Amino acid sequence: MATTDTRTQILDAAEHLFAEHGYSGTSVRAITKLAGANVAAVGYHFGSKAELMAAVVRRVVEPINAAQCAGLDELFARTPDPPVSELVEAFAGPLFDEMPAGDEGGARTSRLIVTILSDPAEEARSWTGPAEISVRERYLAAFARALPGLSPEELWFRMRGILAVTAVDRLEVYQQPTPGCVSPVAGEAARRWAITFLTAAMSAPPTRT
């Protein structure tokens, strides 16, 4: 039991620090200090800081991936060619579910997703696992059928935009609003607005070269 507890404590600490400071800005010593563990515990449980980052990302992303796959399966059970709006909702909906407004864990997930998208460290930007690759390829194929005029590169750029917009929105909902600014809206209204906005963004004409 102690081994499992230590591993989980390290994962919790690493998730918090990677989300706050990025991959390069987080040291193994800082992680183990926050976790109340020995520095050698990271090597024992994960092998390296890079493998720890991968484990953190897997723990956060895999429930989202599973829900996205289930949503796509439900759409395909009804029709072989779902419309863009339904594809967007199936892809973005689980992000809202896993990043609930006003929840510290949801905000941390938001920050971590932003880190994965933007951190210059290769270990943060390029991590992929079998579940993430499978989800990406399935949605790319479905969106490609619904939006045949888009190149694969622009299509993937727009899908990354879904991740970025949703993560930033959830993070702003959790943070204290800036005085004088309109407070972000939580709940079902924000979800509907996001689906409407992202559907329009995904459906826009191809960019002229």
Side-chain angles (χ1 to χ4, degrees):
M1 178 64 71
T3 299
T4 302
D5 287 347
T6 298
R7 187 179 190 278
T8 300
Q9 288 166 2
I10 292 171
L11 280 169
D12 290 343
E15 182 180 326
H16 176 83
L17 293 173
F18 285 145
E20 290 288 343
H21 305 294
Y23 180 81
S24 298
T26 301
S27 67
V28 170
R29 188 170 296 277
I31 292 169
T32 52
K33 180 179 179 181
L34 183 60
N38 188 286
V39 174
V42 168
Y44 175 78
H45 289 286
F46 302 97
S48 67
K49 178 183 167 183
E51 288 300 317
L52 173 57
M53 178 68 178
V56 167
V57 174
R58 279 196 300 272
R59 190 173 70 158
V60 167
V61 171
E62 285 179 354
I64 297 173
N65 291 159
Q68 288 171 327
C69 279
L72 196 56
D73 288 341
E74 289 181 13
L75 292 182
F76 284 151
R78 298 201 306 267
T79 174
D81 295 302
V84 174
S85 60
E86 293 185 3
L87 289 171
V88 169
E89 185 162 11
F91 188 71
L95 295 167
F96 280 88
D97 296 338
E98 292 296 326
M99 296 185 287
D103 178 77
E104 183 179 356
R108 190 165 56 246
T109 298
S110 304
R111 288 194 294 269
L112 190 63
I113 288 176
V114 172
T115 295
I116 295 166
L117 292 171
S118 62
D119 196 309
E122 188 70 16
E123 293 86 348
R125 286 189 299 105
S126 65
W127 182 88
T128 55
E132 194 276 337
I133 292 171
S134 174
V135 169
R136 181 202 311 175
E137 295 303 320
R138 291 188 68 197
Y139 272 93
L140 276 171
F143 275 119
R145 288 195 299 273
L147 300 165
L150 291 179
S151 69
E153 294 80 9
E154 185 166 7
L155 191 56
W156 176 230
F157 175 86
R158 294 185 186 191
M159 283 181 61
R160 284 171 59 84
I162 293 176
L163 297 172
V165 167
T166 309
V168 170
D169 174 75
R170 298 295 83 196
L171 184 55
E172 287 191 351
V173 166
Y174 177 75
Q175 293 173 332
Q176 293 295 323
T178 303
C181 294
V182 177
S183 299
V185 174
E188 185 59 29
R191 187 189 187 113
R192 291 197 308 269
W193 293 348
I195 299 304
T196 299
F197 170 76
L198 293 168
T199 298
M202 288 297 294
S203 302
T207 302
R208 288 188 173 185
T209 57

